Amino acid sequence: QVQLVESGGGLVQAGGSLRLSCVASGRIFKIYRMGWYRQAPGKPRELVAHITNGGSTNYADSVKGRFTISRDNAKNTVYLRMDSLKPEDTAVYYCKADERTVYGSNAYWGQGTQVTVSS
């Protein structure tokens, strides 16, 4: 099992910045990718960004150039730096960890942290 704990959400004005953190614990040695997803009211959960163990990153088009994902392996932590925030970035942000298994992979989710961007 993998446990994920997010922090760093809050209320910010448009144009502002926030940094989300996600600490992983448990069976972390099999994690090969971590990422951030978000879900706004009435909308499906969507990928924001993810980062592999090798450091490769992938971003949703809507956040490219504004958000930066990074990881600190020594702290088992992944970060999401969010700059130039827009009201449409308002959502619950979830951390996700992908664990490699014999049969493929398992996905673990954090509890979510609310990000609200006011106009």
Side-chain angles (χ1 to χ4, degrees):
Q1 291 285 329
V2 174
Q3 295 79 42
L4 303 171
V5 178
E6 302 115 328
S7 61
L11 173 64
V12 64
Q13 289 187 332
S17 299
L18 283 174
R19 189 180 79 159
L20 306 182
S21 300
C22 173
V23 181
S25 61
R27 197 170 56 202
I28 61 174
F29 60 94
K30 291 186 176 181
I31 295 174
Y32 66 93
R33 183 175 62 192
M34 293 186 70
W36 292 94
Y37 287 68
R38 66 186 181 187
Q39 187 167 20
K43 294 187 177 181
R45 192 172 296 188
E46 62 176 4
L47 171 70
V48 176
H50 65 228
I51 185 167
T52 68
N53 281 356
S56 296
T57 59
N58 186 46
Y59 294 91
D61 287 343
S62 59
V63 306
K64 282 182 181 176
R66 300 188 299 122
F67 290 11
T68 304
I69 190 169
S70 62
R71 62 190 297 165
D72 184 334
N73 291 330
K75 296 182 178 180
N76 301 321
T77 301
V78 64
Y79 304 98
L80 185 68
R81 171 73 181 188
M82 304 184 293
D83 297 314
S84 303
L85 282 161
K86 305 175 181 180
E88 51 264 44
D89 294 317
T90 295
V92 178
Y93 283 69
Y94 296 91
C95 179
K96 180 191 177 193
D98 293 306
E99 175 194 46
R100 199 174 302 282
T101 72
V102 175
Y103 305 104
S105 65
N106 284 335
Y108 295 91
W109 294 90
Q111 81 285 356
T113 185
Q114 177 71 46
V115 172
T116 303
V117 184
S118 63
S119 56

